[in-house]
Amino acid sequence: MGSIYLEAVLDTPADLVWDFVDRYTRSEVHVFSACAAERREGEYRVVTLPDGEEVWERNLTVDPDRRRASYTVPALSGTEYHHAEMRVDALSPTATRLTWVTDYLPHDLANERTESYQVMFDELVAAVTAHATSRAGGA
């Protein structure tokens, strides 16, 4: 299986990073420029692409105790299998590791899609940082 593994260490408390990831799973925040809109339908996060196509991401795990969210896209174009997770690990009271891992079959898809995932991960880090800054400033 091919995997895309992305991580960043943020100068942000883990609770603030998790707050954003949790809101992301409920389609309460918009992150990616490659997406036009998001909404929740049951256990699915439905992403609308700019061309109107919808991608149905099924939330599998949203675990606030372990600060881990995982999902799959059962009918993702060109895949036999897709699974992804976002993890938030406290390194100290003010530092957090944000990890996003995406697994693909066929495994070549991971290599083909790594560059676009890096762009999305950079957008995710920027959105988490802005969210945490606004939350910390409002406290």
Side-chain angles (χ1 to χ4, degrees):
M1 181 161 332
S3 297
I4 301 169
Y5 187 93
L6 301 164
E7 73 175 21
V9 174
L10 309 175
D11 293 326
T12 306
D15 287 343
L16 290 175
V17 177
W18 174 252
D19 181 64
F20 186 89
V21 172
D22 187 42
R23 289 168 186 266
Y24 170 83
T25 68
R26 295 190 310 264
S27 298
E28 294 176 3
V29 293
H30 180 75
V31 180
F32 304 119
S33 62
C35 303
E38 304 83 19
R39 70 181 187 279
R40 248 333 258 284
E41 298 228 2
E43 63 188 15
Y44 287 88
R45 186 174 171 275
V46 183
V47 178
T48 304
L49 302 178
D51 66 0
E53 178 185 357
E54 290 186 341
V55 177
W56 287 67
E57 299 176 351
R58 183 178 182 194
N59 283 323
L60 299 174
T61 304
V62 180
D63 184 344
D65 294 329
R66 291 180 179 82
R67 297 186 188 113
R68 178 178 175 267
S70 70
Y71 61 95
T72 186
V73 182
L76 187 61
S77 177
T79 66
E80 294 173 37
Y81 178 82
H82 169 278
H83 177 266
E85 73 170 349
M86 292 181 182
R87 285 191 320 265
V88 175
D89 298 305
L91 302 176
S92 75
T94 59
T96 302
R97 177 181 300 113
L98 174 62
T99 305
W100 187 17
V101 180
T102 305
D103 298 321
Y104 277 109
L105 280 178
H107 66 272
D108 291 346
L109 289 176
N111 291 334
E112 293 171 15
R113 297 179 180 181
T114 295
E115 188 175 321
S116 62
Y117 272 76
Q118 183 64 59
V119 169
M120 291 188 294
F121 187 68
D122 292 344
E123 292 176 336
L124 175 62
V125 167
V128 166
T129 301
H131 173 78
T133 300
S134 72
R135 289 284 185 193

